[in-house]
Amino acid sequence: MGSLDAKPAETQEPDINDQAQLWNIIYGFGGSLVLRCAVEIGIADIIKNNNGSITLAQLASKLSIPNVNSDHLYRILRFLVHMNILEHEICNGGVDKVYSLKPIGTLLLRDAERSMAPIILGLTHKDFMVPWHFMKEGLASEGTTAFEIGMGMPIWKFLEGHPDQSQLFNEEMAGETRLLTKTLFEDCRDIFQGLDSLVDVGGGNGTTIMAIYETFPHIKCTLYDLPHVIANSRDHPNVQKVSGDMFKCVPTAQAILLKLILHDWTDEECVHILKKCKEAIPKETGKVIIVDVVLDEESTHELTKTRLLLDIDMMVSTGGRERTLDDWDNLLKRAGFRSHNIRPIRAIQSLIEAFP
Ligand SMILES: C[S@@+](CC[C@H](N)C(=O)[O-])C[C@H]1O[C@@H](n2cnc3c(N)ncnc32)[C@H](O)[C@@H]1O
Ligand SMILES: O=c1cc(-c2ccc(O)cc2)oc2c(O)c(O)ccc12
């Protein structure tokens, strides 16, 4: 608590720690782009495949880049050590440093099941960073996103016309799913156990629904998304694929899954989607399973900042938002759901069951 004679903030001199804090926020993009470079050149995979540790000279020789500038590579490694992603040990009588992965560094592996590499490559792609430069213009226009202003069209139209970026986006979302599914099935087994059929609405390339089928093979599973997404989605002999527009209709099933869908849309659009989902499930035994962010603005949890940044991302990219407990309560009431429960899971998102 401030004392009564404390100076107002504007008359207090910011100290060097304040400067450092701001420098680190300003240069946040630098950290992201070093990570991107590390993933692009496959540093983590090379270290892992070299029995878990490597010298600078060995790493330089294994990169698929001709004439590697060793000084530049050294400085990238030094930064990654400072960021606690790599660690090093001095060997050969102090001549060489041997680099290895800290636990967090394994999340940069491109060939691992639980990897953040697809998220790094998606979020830092030039085309997906352009809209962030139009945040100010987005502030001045009701109903038009920064993405639309910067890229000339809404994100879903852009992805339809740009297959490479669409694939990158779908791989990013699939990477996110692979990070989540183990936790989801451990923390929420009961939620899927009793189902006989499930439609994953806006299910992307099918990674989530296929993981659900593999864990709960008694469920009749359907993947539903826009036609161009379904056309490029994975095949599975026991997962039916249906293309369409969730604003127009949703295939019927006992349960509908909406994973990272509602945070893409405004409240009015969400009410519309939720009503379509409600029409597609039985009144007595049906449910909508929502896997999405629940924001607690007061929480000091490490993921609160990530959730607030995702909220800004949704404002910039899709016109959607992240929602608090009260926001979810209001939304589900407006869409006519009689009750719901919210279960935190060990992830950015929570799991919400909504009953018609
Ligand atoms: C943020 S992604 C989430 C993908 C997936 N549920 C996941 O969590 O990995 C949103 C998905 O909604 C789909 N989508 C957007 N508009 C849609 C519409 N009108 N009808 C059906 N799907 C739509 C997109 O193609 C995309 O796959
Ligand atoms: O750029 C994104 C990122 C996400 C995202 C990444 C990781 C998570 O744990 C959750 C969400 O989601 C997005 C999204 O839903 C969207 O429509 C556009 C962009 C992104």
Side-chain angles (χ1 to χ4, degrees), residues 90-334:
I90 312 288
C91 67
N92 292 343
V95 179
D96 271 333
K97 281 181 182 158
V98 178
Y99 296 88
S100 54
L101 299 173
K102 300 267 275 187
I104 180 181
T106 62
L107 291 170
L108 303 188
L109 289 166
R110 294 180 74 130
D111 69 354
E113 177 72 8
R114 285 166 63 78
S115 164
M116 294 184 80
I119 298 177
I120 293 167
L121 294 176
L123 279 178
T124 61
H125 187 279
K126 268 189 200 162
D127 287 346
F128 296 129
M129 292 186 86
V130 168
W132 292 77
H133 286 267
F134 290 85
M135 214 182 293
K136 177 170 68 72
E137 288 77 1
L139 267 181
S141 63
E142 187 70 41
T144 312
T145 60
F147 193 102
E148 280 170 84
I149 299 168
M151 304 302 281
M153 63 192 97
I155 183 167
W156 310 116
K157 189 97 201 123
F158 173 83
L159 293 176
E160 186 184 348
H162 294 79
D164 290 350
Q165 288 85 339
S166 179
Q167 195 186 338
L168 190 71
F169 179 81
N170 293 331
E171 277 169 11
E172 176 187 345
M173 300 315 300
E176 200 280 327
T177 291
R178 286 192 295 272
L179 276 183
L180 178 81
T181 40
K182 189 166 170 276
T183 304
L184 186 65
F185 298 155
E186 278 172 9
D187 295 2
C188 304
R189 215 179 164 76
D190 56 305
I191 283 172
F192 297 97
Q193 199 87 63
L195 296 180
D196 58 43
S197 56
L198 177 69
V199 180
D200 187 4
V201 170
N205 71 8
T207 303
T208 308
I209 196 73
M210 285 168 202
I212 291 174
Y213 178 79
E214 293 306 332
T215 313
F216 306 98
H218 65 277
I219 305 179
K220 181 175 175 288
C221 289
T222 303
L223 172 67
Y224 184 63
D225 209 301
L226 294 167
H228 71 276
V229 179
I230 291 295
N232 293 301
S233 63
R234 295 168 53 197
D235 284 317
H236 189 291
N238 296 312
V239 174
Q240 190 193 8
K241 301 204 281 188
V242 179
S243 64
D245 178 349
M246 65 189 170
F247 285 95
K248 298 201 174 118
C249 104
V250 167
T252 57
Q254 187 189 359
I256 304 289
L257 176 64
L258 293 173
K259 177 175 166 289
L260 294 176
I261 300 301
L262 298 177
H263 81 157
D264 291 336
W265 304 96
T266 63
D267 286 357
E268 288 64 35
E269 289 162 331
C270 286
V271 169
H272 186 107
I273 297 167
L274 284 164
K275 283 185 173 168
K276 289 283 168 208
C277 292
K278 195 163 162 272
E279 285 166 16
I281 53 177
K283 177 127 185 60
E284 298 308 321
T285 56
K287 64 181 169 187
V288 176
I289 302 168
I290 300 165
V291 179
D292 221 320
V293 172
V294 177
L295 203 53
D296 175 358
E297 294 136 351
E298 307 307 324
S299 165
T300 53
H301 191 284
E302 184 75 4
L303 281 173
T304 301
K305 184 175 163 199
T306 319
R307 293 180 180 125
L308 288 167
L309 281 167
L310 258 182
D311 179 60
I312 301 290
D313 193 352
M314 293 310 106
M315 179 179 87
V316 163
S317 304
T318 64
R321 64 184 309 114
E322 304 306 351
R323 294 181 168 86
T324 62
L325 279 176
D326 283 349
D327 294 335
W328 283 110
D329 204 31
N330 290 333
L331 199 62
L332 290 163
K333 279 202 180 101
R334 273 182 68 188

